[in-house]
Amino acid sequence: MLELITQNRSFGGTQGVYRHSSTATGTPMEFSIFVPDHAEGEKLPVVFYLSGLTCTQANVTEKGEFRRACSELGLIFVAPDTSPRGDDVPDDAEGAYDFGLGAGFYVDATEPPFDTHYKMRSYIEDEFPALIAEFFPADLSRQSIMGHSMGGHGALTIALRNPDRFKAVSAFAPIVSPMNCPWGEKALSGYIGTDRADWRAYDACALIADGARVPDILVDQGSADTFLESQLDPELLVNICDAKGQPLTFRMQDGYDHSYYFISTFMADHLEWHAVRLG
Amino acid sequence: MLELITQNRSFGGTQGVYRHSSTATGTPMEFSIFVPDHAEGEKLPVVFYLSGLTCTQANVTEKGEFRRACSELGLIFVAPDTSPRGDDVPDDAEGAYDFGLGAGFYVDATEPPFDTHYKMRSYIEDEFPALIAEFFPADLSRQSIMGHSMGGHGALTIALRNPDRFKAVSAFAPIVSPMNCPWGEKALSGYIGTDRADWRAYDACALIADGARVPDILVDQGSADTFLESQLDPELLVNICDAKGQPLTFRMQDGYDHSYYFISTFMADHLEWHAVRLG
């Protein structure tokens, strides 16, 4: 059921990388999980981290600098992959980085040929948490979710669609409105089709406009992010939250870019935010 | 003189990667440097980090988790490469990982064809600190040195040969006696020749046996390190320090291996040790 790939002791806990056969995507899927040392039989709150375009679990696992804080706060930290992978999984026609492999956008695709394997919404919302609870000491009554860029979009939309499931949500440089940026328009038209009404379930700003609410949201954004204006446009989120009364803590971080040098800097802040809300 | 490759804001400081043309090795050399924010004109103490076999500056830069502590403690952190590189730099005859490129062992080679470029001792001891002081706000009256595995060997031997220059020295899983392990015997015979008397300047245990002293040494070693018995054998260091009165804090860390999951866990401890001694 679960194949161990690597296991390393780190920061008073265990960092594992696993592979399993996913029902949702119909492919093998890899993920990483950090479990702090804990008492026999104890279950810990769990933070789901969704990665950005081109990433696998490895980017945050190696560069995210989350283990010290997770160990101190007693948090399990889980990082799934960003798309199905394999020889029979269709990719972008030109092999571009922003669609297909490494770019699942956390949607359930309805457009062929992507509708066979690209079921990242079902994977992350349903199959993956159940798998984590089955094999690890995770308390699913205390879940939270965060992500970066495309994964920030994933975290925000998944939390907004499942307000009772997640105690906290935060994002680093998220795509706040895929309906209004080139990355998102390409992904949603390719995976979901051209009817923009169908896109609204996959757009944080549209979900909030349509009435979805979570208790609060934390977003950090680097001011030197090269995608800030062309793709991310966090003002869209700030404005809709303001208009609709959705609590949002938005922090523009001066001089920081889109990389893990930015994410790692504010990772402990985010985990503390999550820990307070996870109880 | 100094070519900027990348620069990222991180943890309230600047992480840079640079290239320069080295006189010592006769090749371009890359290095990384983290400089915490500081007052105009202020000079900061500097920690040199020497990496292990197969590594470049990138391993510790991406996975070392040193920036938070360096920022809090006001330390510059510099990571040079582990060997000269380039098309005209000779490599191991069979392309093995433990000799030649990525495996300079911090020696000045005397054996052809390696004696042309493999001058990592001169590079680290002389050229590199001068370069850092010329281009960055580094206070060379407050230097310290640390390293991992082959780089732990480098840090220990360089500190023992230059006791007045370094205020602190520490190592993660160091090669404590290259004269007494397969990695070291291959490297020293290949770079220095077969007269073992010439090897003693490149062996921490031999240097201590021959009278070299530093105020104290900190070493962390993982108990699950796969190289522990075959290559590292820290008891050799413990025993010679005990016999010769060289202060040593040696910590066996239960369950930790040879990877950056181990190094990152104890990096902040080491930097605090350095900061106390750097004043």
Side-chain angles (χ1 to χ4, degrees):
Chain A
M1 286 288 293
L2 206 56
E3 178 191 352
L4 179 64
I5 300 173
T6 59
Q7 185 167 284
N8 301 83
R9 186 143 183 82
S10 194
F11 285 102
T14 304
Q15 180 65 60
V17 177
Y18 293 86
R19 185 185 294 117
H20 74 112
S21 182
S22 166
T23 306
T25 68
T27 64
M29 293 289 285
E30 290 187 12
F31 65 94
S32 80
I33 179 165
F34 177 71
V35 181
D37 289 355
H38 55 281
E40 179 83 27
E42 186 186 8
K43 286 180 182 278
L44 303 177
V46 55
V47 180
F48 293 90
Y49 177 93
L50 305 184
S51 297
L53 288 166
T54 78
C55 290
T56 68
Q57 54 75 23
N59 303 70
V60 72
T61 305
E62 296 176 358
K63 303 179 186 175
E65 304 199 21
F66 56 84
R67 281 174 288 271
R68 172 182 297 269
C70 284
S71 192
E72 289 170 0
L73 299 166
L75 303 175
I76 291 175
F77 189 98
V78 196
D81 204 346
T82 51
S83 79
R85 297 178 193 271
D87 290 345
D88 62 338
V89 175
D91 195 6
D92 182 82
E94 278 92 41
Y97 75 96
D98 57 2
F99 189 81
L101 301 182
F105 261 85
Y106 308 101
V107 305
D108 278 354
T110 54
E111 291 291 297
F114 304 102
D115 56 339
T116 305
H117 296 296
Y118 284 83
K119 299 290 184 184
M120 290 300 290
R121 173 183 176 167
S122 294
Y123 179 67
I124 300 293
E125 287 190 354
D126 300 325
E127 182 181 13
F128 190 59
L131 179 92
I132 296 303
E134 182 179 353
F135 290 99
F136 300 95
D139 176 3
L140 288 198
S141 73
R142 291 184 289 163
Q143 290 180 68
S144 69
I145 192 162
M146 62 164 68
H148 170 232
S149 194
M150 176 184 75
H153 144 73
L156 292 172
T157 55
I158 290 169
L160 285 161
R161 289 196 305 264
N162 299 275
D164 297 334
R165 186 187 295 182
F166 298 98
K167 303 286 188 197
V169 56
S170 72
F172 304 99
I175 301 171
V176 301
S177 184
M179 298 180 74
N180 291 292
C181 72
W183 280 341
E185 292 188 329
K186 177 177 178 179
L188 294 178
S189 59
Y191 292 131
I192 308 296
T194 51
D195 184 348
R196 293 174 68 95
D198 296 338
W199 297 8
R200 298 185 72 81
Y202 296 114
D203 185 296
C205 290
L207 284 163
I208 293 167
D210 294 345
R213 290 290 178 279
V214 289
D216 49 14
I217 297 169
L218 171 63
V219 170
D220 274 315
Q221 170 65 55
S223 72
D225 189 324
T226 51
F227 303 112
L228 178 54
E229 289 175 21
S230 59
Q231 303 279 4
L232 303 175
D233 200 359
E235 272 200 67
L236 294 173
L237 182 67
V238 171
N239 290 342
I240 196 70
C241 286
D242 191 42
K244 295 290 180 174
Q246 166 61 53
L248 168 70
T249 301
F250 177 79
R251 310 190 301 191
M252 186 63 82
Q253 302 290 1
D254 189 40
Y256 288 84
D257 61 23
H258 202 65
S259 72
Y260 274 89
Y261 293 106
F262 157 63
I263 298 168
S264 59
T265 300
F266 300 103
M267 178 61 83
D269 274 9
H270 282 237
L271 291 169
E272 282 159 24
W273 163 284
H274 284 244
V276 166
R277 287 154 182 79
L278 288 163
Chain B
M1 286 286 295
L2 205 55
E3 177 191 353
L4 178 64
I5 301 173
T6 60
Q7 185 166 285
N8 301 83
R9 183 141 184 84
S10 195
F11 285 101
T14 304
Q15 180 65 61
V17 176
Y18 293 85
R19 186 184 294 115
H20 74 112
S21 182
S22 166
T23 305
T25 68
T27 65
M29 293 290 285
E30 290 186 14
F31 66 94
S32 80
I33 180 166
F34 177 72
V35 181
D37 289 355
H38 55 280
E40 178 85 29
E42 187 187 7
K43 285 180 183 277
L44 303 177
V46 56
V47 179
F48 292 90
Y49 177 93
L50 305 184
S51 296
L53 288 167
T54 78
C55 291
T56 67
Q57 56 73 24
N59 303 69
V60 73
T61 305
E62 296 175 358
K63 303 178 186 177
E65 303 199 20
F66 56 84
R67 281 175 287 269
R68 173 182 295 269
C70 283
S71 193
E72 289 171 0
L73 299 166
L75 304 175
I76 291 175
F77 188 98
V78 195
D81 205 345
T82 51
S83 79
R85 297 179 194 270
D87 290 344
D88 61 340
V89 175
D91 195 6
D92 182 81
E94 278 91 43
Y97 75 96
D98 58 0
F99 190 81
L101 300 181
F105 262 85
Y106 307 103
V107 305
D108 278 355
T110 54
E111 292 291 296
F114 304 102
D115 56 339
T116 305
H117 295 297
Y118 284 83
K119 300 290 183 185
M120 290 300 290
R121 173 182 177 166
S122 293
Y123 179 66
I124 301 294
E125 288 189 355
D126 300 324
E127 182 180 13
F128 190 58
L131 180 91
I132 297 302
E134 181 177 355
F135 289 99
F136 300 95
D139 176 3
L140 288 198
S141 73
R142 292 183 290 163
Q143 288 180 69
S144 70
I145 192 161
M146 63 165 67
H148 169 234
S149 195
M150 176 184 75
H153 145 73
L156 292 172
T157 54
I158 290 168
L160 285 161
R161 288 196 305 263
N162 300 276
D164 297 335
R165 185 186 297 182
F166 297 98
K167 303 285 189 198
V169 56
S170 72
F172 304 99
I175 300 171
V176 301
S177 183
M179 298 180 73
N180 291 292
C181 72
W183 280 341
E185 292 189 329
K186 177 177 177 179
L188 294 178
S189 59
Y191 292 131
I192 308 297
T194 51
D195 185 348
R196 293 175 67 95
D198 296 338
W199 296 9
R200 299 184 70 82
Y202 296 115
D203 185 296
C205 289
L207 284 163
I208 293 167
D210 294 347
R213 289 292 177 278
V214 290
D216 49 14
I217 298 170
L218 171 63
V219 171
D220 274 316
Q221 170 66 55
S223 72
D225 189 324
T226 51
F227 302 113
L228 178 54
E229 290 176 19
S230 59
Q231 302 280 2
L232 304 175
D233 200 0
E235 271 201 65
L236 294 172
L237 182 66
V238 171
N239 290 341
I240 196 71
C241 285
D242 190 42
K244 295 289 181 176
Q246 166 61 53
L248 168 69
T249 299
F250 176 79
R251 310 189 302 192
M252 184 64 81
Q253 302 290 1
D254 189 41
Y256 288 85
D257 61 23
H258 202 66
S259 72
Y260 273 90
Y261 293 107
F262 157 63
I263 298 169
S264 60
T265 301
F266 300 102
M267 179 60 84
D269 275 10
H270 281 236
L271 291 168
E272 282 160 23
W273 162 283
H274 284 244
V276 166
R277 287 156 181 78
L278 287 162

